[in-house]
């Protein structure tokens, strides 16, 4: 089975450069997006010459609008009938009892523990840790060195930045962003974000 790698940015370049080490087999086709402004439209054009029955895809977008652009690529490819694969760095560790959805990337040195569940189209960065029985919703992003505590649950479209540590049993709603390094032990409602401009939790109006 061939793989069409679609995207741009560091993740796209890293997978392309180390394809032989990923152990995925098959022929790799590099479909580089010129930008992310029209990701869905460009994806349809790039895949026009491929047959869904003989090709799998991986949406590798980690530049601006990381979640939305990656979702646009993934969703368009799925609508066209293509199935996606998940990839992991050879230095990553995924326990046998963990569940990883399609179009997920597990970075170098990352650890996904037994019972953890990672929703589709999610990136787990280098050296990140997903502890036992943690649940990550679809279309997520876990930054390098971040950790998700045992039994914690994250809703869809959450972005967890570099070196953010989420405590055990914590609950994050959908569309939450935490991009200030440190330890967090309080649950957050849908649409809550914490970043350098708003170090105290702020909730997007109407996010419920």
């Amino acid at each position: 089975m061939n793989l069409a790698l679609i995207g741009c940015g560091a993740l796209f370049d890293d997978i392309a450069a180390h394809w032989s080490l990923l152990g995925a087999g098959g022929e790799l086709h590099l479909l580089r997006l010129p930008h992310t402004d029209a990701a869905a439209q460009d994806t349809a054009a790039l895949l026009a010459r491929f047959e869904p029955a003989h090709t799998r895809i991986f949406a590798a977008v980690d530049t601006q609008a990381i979640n939305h652009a990656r979702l646009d690529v993934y969703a368009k490819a799925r609508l066209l009938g293509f199935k996606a694969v998940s990839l992991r760095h050879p230095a990553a560790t995924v326990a046998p009892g963990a569940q990883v959805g399609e179009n997920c990337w597990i970075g170098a040195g990352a650890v996904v523990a037994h019972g953890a569940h990672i929703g589709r189209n999610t990136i787990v960065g280098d050296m990140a840790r997903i502890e036992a029985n943690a649940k990550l919703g679809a279309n997520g992003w876990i930054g390098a060195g971040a950790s998700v505590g045992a039994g914690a649950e994250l809703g869809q479209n959450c972005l967890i930045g570099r070196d953010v540590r989420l405590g055990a049993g914590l609950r994050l709603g959908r569309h939450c962003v935490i991009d200030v390094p440190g330890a967090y032990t309080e649950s957050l409602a849908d649409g809550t974000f914490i970043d350098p401009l708003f170090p105290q939790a702020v909730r997007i109006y109407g996010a419920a």
Side-chain angles (χ1 to χ4, degrees), residues 106-163:
I106 312 299
V111 176
V112 180
H114 177 81
H117 181 277
I118 300 176
R120 65 185 183 277
N121 196 38
T122 293
I123 289 179
V124 177
D126 295 351
M127 305 303 294
R129 293 186 61 88
I130 312 300
E131 301 291 354
N133 301 313
K135 296 181 179 180
L136 277 58
N139 314 316
W141 175 278
I142 307 298
S147 62
V148 179
E153 295 187 14
L154 280 61
Q156 295 184 4
N157 302 295
C158 284
L159 190 155
I160 306 303
R162 177 185 293 269
D163 296 325

Side-chain angles (χ1 to χ4, degrees), residues 85-123:
V85 300
S86 286
L87 300 172
R88 67 180 185 184
H89 193 280
T93 301
V94 177
Q99 299 180 25
V100 179
E102 68 174 15
N103 203 70
C104 291
W105 168 253
I106 312 299
V111 176
V112 180
H114 177 81
H117 181 277
I118 300 176
R120 65 185 183 277
N121 196 38
T122 293
I123 289 179

